[in-house]
Amino acid sequence: MNKTATPQPEFTLERHPQPTPAAAITASLADPVFGKVFTDHMVTIRWKEGLGWHDAKVGPRRAFEIDPACAVLHYAQEIFEGMKAYRRENGEISLFRPQENAKRFRASASRMSMPELPEALFVGAVEALVDIDRAWVPGGEGSSLYLRPFMFAIENYLGVRAASEFLFCVIACPVGPYFKSGKSAVTVWASDHYTRAAPGGTGAAKCGGNYAASLIAQTEASSQGCDQVVFLDAASHRWIEELGGMNIFFVMDDNSLRTPPLSGTILPGITRASIIELARAEGFTVNEAPYAFDEWQADAASGRVKETFACGTAAVVTAIGAVRHAGGEFKIGDGGEGAVTRQLRTLLTDIQRGKAPDTRGWVRTVEAQPVTAAQ
Ligand code: PLP
Ligand code: COI
């Protein structure tokens, strides 16, 4: 089914009748908890077989009315993205590599038998929301406006097949650091029982089902006093894949970096790709090569692995200081954040926040967006 080629609709705008007062916005930006507070508006675009993409709207953020037979409630045909808007010191608002999120969203849609939203429409939708809710973009180190584009099947039908109607939506929430622990490094739980993705499965797609399946391992991690879970491969339970919501890098004692390859079972992170490019430009050797859990444990003990860090849009670059597993616990380096982790995070965040020149065209300033007032 070709679900891509349709003319692009224009956005109509319906402003929120009672927008949040400026003082209340300022209060909610002071110490935002990840994913709890939302801005006033949302963007929606519909897709229907035979009609394509239509009814693109910027409107007040409101609840959806969903029929109990709505396909997504039964067969989980849903995908999402995660990206951030940053307020720069000069007041401008920018996005980081939004085109890459648009591309990954299309790839996720293709894997999940969903229509592929044209990349320009994806970026336009995100920019339209950031533009209308720009007062909600926090300034300051570590804070940003987290954007959540997502799409789900809205056809009311219980037959098991790809749906014929979908709703795309973007919502936004001001956020601070993802890990609230205040520690310089997090502790991860290595699950020896639960896996996240299998060859031929949906591991490389950003679909809600992957996260639903990972929650039991995340709960196990929390009950072990850990911040995140690290998944091993489904076939042999030996190879390190990624965390529940982040990719993983190892810093070796020869200053080379290692990260699991994109084998189809892990999410191709945009932060991961950016770190690889930035690290290579700084002269680091980066090996995209499998790394076994027992090697990690032995290398941490011998000092061959000096640092380990997680990276992703929500977590940015976060040091992993300790690893717990069914057989015990081991520490990475001195258990805190290492120098290479700090160096790579600074390189990345300085570009994202406009403190370092953007020589790769990764940063996109959000301009005022053309929208048509709703009738
Ligand atoms: N892996 C998983 C499972 C994720 O959920 C994320 C976050 O989106 C990442 C990796 C990192 O991806 P990105 O850097 O594009 O945010
Ligand atoms: C993101 O980093 O955007 C994610 O989707 C991961 C999740 C931990 C929020």
Side-chain angles (χ1 to χ4, degrees):
M1 170 168 30
N2 179 0
K3 292 185 168 181
T4 50
T6 45
Q8 296 195 9
E10 305 247 306
F11 290 98
T12 59
L13 169 65
E14 179 196 344
R15 281 189 185 278
H16 198 295
Q18 289 169 313
T20 309
I25 296 180
T26 308
S28 61
L29 298 192
D31 185 21
V33 175
F34 189 94
K36 280 272 190 201
V37 175
F38 297 92
T39 67
D40 286 334
H41 294 89
M42 65 183 190
V43 171
T44 50
I45 312 176
R46 290 175 178 271
W47 186 92
K48 190 170 183 168
E49 208 155 277
L51 189 57
W53 297 104
H54 64 284
D55 205 10
K57 283 183 185 157
V58 180
R61 182 179 175 276
R62 52 165 79 104
F64 298 128
E65 194 170 292
I66 288 190
D67 190 277
C70 184
V72 71
L73 300 179
H74 303 272
Y75 309 125
Q77 218 184 350
E78 190 269 355
I79 57 171
F80 68 97
E81 270 303 321
M83 50 208 291
K84 283 175 172 173
Y86 305 90
R87 184 177 294 280
R88 301 163 149 239
E89 273 164 14
N90 66 5
E92 281 180 354
I93 311 280
S94 61
L95 298 170
F96 182 69
R97 309 189 76 179
Q99 200 73 28
E100 295 305 311
N101 294 92
K103 273 193 212 153
R104 189 171 63 189
F105 197 67
R106 281 186 55 188
S108 298
S110 164
R111 176 60 183 85
M112 300 298 288
S113 296
M114 296 167 83
E116 292 175 38
L117 185 69
E119 286 161 28
L121 197 48
F122 177 100
V123 176
V126 168
E127 291 194 319
L129 182 62
V130 174
D131 183 37
I132 192 158
D133 282 338
R134 53 175 69 229
W136 289 86
V137 184
E141 208 64 39
S143 297
S144 55
L145 186 69
Y146 184 77
L147 300 154
R148 175 50 65 87
F150 61 105
M151 172 163 58
F152 60 97
I154 50 166
E155 185 184 359
N156 302 326
Y157 177 62
L158 296 187
V160 181
R161 58 144 168 80
S164 63
E165 278 180 66
F166 293 87
L167 182 64
F168 169 79
C169 180
V170 193
I171 54 173
C173 48
V175 296
Y178 187 71
F179 294 109
K180 275 280 172 197
S181 61
K183 292 180 275 185
S184 63
V186 297
T187 300
V188 296
W189 170 251
S191 180
D192 64 350
H193 180 64
Y194 299 111
T195 56
R196 181 183 168 275
T202 56
K206 206 160 165 59
C207 60
N210 287 344
Y211 296 78
S214 76
L215 296 178
I216 190 165
Q218 181 60 42
T219 304
E220 195 177 75
S222 303
S223 71
Q224 297 288 339
C226 298
D227 304 283
Q228 264 280 317
V229 57
V230 56
F231 286 104
L232 307 180
D233 76 291
S236 65
H237 290 223
R238 178 160 189 240
W239 305 105
I240 299 161
E241 297 223 304
E242 62 177 330
L243 274 56
M246 291 134 226
N247 293 117
I248 189 165
F249 280 78
F250 307 92
V251 184
M252 314 309 284
D253 62 352
D254 63 358
N255 250 11
S256 67
L257 299 173
R258 189 160 181 160
T259 191
L262 299 181
S263 53
T265 54
I266 68 172
L267 194 79
I270 295 157
T271 318
R272 176 189 179 281
S274 307
I275 293 279
I276 291 175
E277 201 168 327
L278 291 173
R280 285 187 176 143
E282 284 299 298
F284 289 95
T285 298
V286 185
N287 297 308
E288 295 181 70
Y291 194 44
F293 184 75
D294 51 344
E295 288 180 276
W296 187 21
Q297 189 171 5
D299 290 348
S302 71
R304 187 168 172 252
V305 68
K306 292 195 306 182
E307 303 175 29
T308 302
F309 63 85
C311 70
T313 299
V316 195
V317 172
T318 302
I320 296 174
V323 185
R324 274 185 206 143
H325 56 107
E329 174 167 345
F330 60 94
K331 209 161 77 163
I332 314 289
D334 64 4
E337 182 180 85
V340 175
T341 301
R342 193 171 317 124
Q343 179 187 355
L344 293 172
R345 189 184 48 248
T346 305
L347 275 172
L348 177 72
T349 55
D350 279 0
I351 297 172
Q352 289 173 333
R353 293 180 178 276
K355 291 185 183 167
D358 170 33
T359 56
R360 295 173 178 82
W362 283 354
V363 172
R364 184 170 163 123
T365 303
V366 178
E367 314 284 356
Q369 296 298 304
V371 284
T372 316
Q375 299 302 310

